[in-house]
Amino acid sequence: MHMSGEQTAIKYLTREQTARLFSVITDLRDRALFATIYHHGLRVAEATLLRVKDVDLAHRRILIHRVKHGRGGERPLFKSTTRLLKAYLKVRLPTGSALFTGRQGNLTRGRIEQLFRGYAHRVGLDAFSVHCLRHSIATHLLEAGCGIEFVQDHLGHVNIQNT
């Protein structure tokens, strides 16, 4: 039960844990998927909303569609994410309309969560869900000296209190 005024501890991965997690993600699609989620602070639902046309590799831009009344829009792609997406798009299965697809079509929220849990389990990070990647990038940006307003914008938060 959650009492009003009570804060839940926000779970995030340290940089070392993040590196450990990504070290076991060898599948190209999954690496591109989780790098995109991490680098852009996406919610799982937001990752499922991405389409191939939302990615402009030539200009290193991605169009983010935010949920929960978040502020979406075009964002610059990290160099590493651009490389991963470029490689992934060459082998992407055309089974669905989403950017990230599998043999059965578009990857669903449940499937993304299941994939994450499998990778996290392999490196002893069972206590974490895919949503922790959103908290992790926010924490890592703050630790790197980025201002709270930058992180607010990066996560698509309209209200600074949510950051």
Side-chain angles (χ1 to χ4, degrees):
M1 187 105 117
H2 197 61
M3 306 302 284
S4 64
E6 212 179 282
Q7 285 291 322
T8 324
I10 292 185
K11 285 187 170 184
Y12 66 91
L13 299 172
T14 64
R15 289 177 183 278
E16 184 271 329
Q17 289 171 320
T18 305
R20 253 180 35 224
L21 175 71
F22 276 96
S23 76
V24 297
I25 306 175
T26 54
D27 179 84
L28 189 55
R29 179 206 59 201
D30 295 353
R31 203 165 171 82
L33 167 67
F34 292 116
T36 303
I37 289 173
Y38 170 69
H39 284 142
H40 293 284
L42 300 181
R43 293 179 175 91
V44 181
E46 293 165 348
T48 66
L49 294 175
L50 290 172
R51 300 291 176 255
V52 175
K53 66 178 172 45
D54 294 333
V55 177
D56 179 355
L57 295 173
H59 297 102
R60 288 191 35 222
R61 308 287 294 168
I62 187 168
L63 181 62
I64 305 291
H65 308 279
R66 294 287 184 191
V67 297
K68 290 192 170 186
H69 312 291
R71 212 176 329 187
E74 250 193 25
R75 296 285 188 266
L77 273 171
F78 286 78
K79 273 187 183 147
S80 58
T81 313
T82 304
R83 279 194 304 275
L84 285 168
L85 287 170
K86 197 174 283 190
Y88 161 66
L89 286 170
K90 290 177 183 163
V91 299
R92 177 187 169 272
L93 295 173
T95 53
S97 58
L99 174 60
F100 297 105
T101 57
R103 289 186 301 274
Q104 312 293 303
N106 297 340
L107 287 188
T108 61
R109 288 170 68 168
R111 180 67 180 132
I112 293 170
E113 289 281 1
Q114 183 183 40
L115 287 166
F116 182 88
R117 281 194 306 273
Y119 291 121
H121 178 73
R122 285 174 57 189
V123 290
L125 297 170
D126 296 280
F128 295 93
S129 71
V130 70
H131 192 73
C132 79
L133 291 176
R134 181 172 164 82
H135 297 159
S136 300
I137 191 64
T139 304
H140 299 162
L141 288 169
L142 288 170
E143 287 172 353
C146 292
I148 190 80
E149 293 83 6
F150 176 85
V151 176
Q152 172 190 8
D153 182 61
H154 193 74
L155 296 179
H157 284 165
V158 174
N159 190 334
I160 194 104
Q161 274 80 37
N162 297 333
T163 305

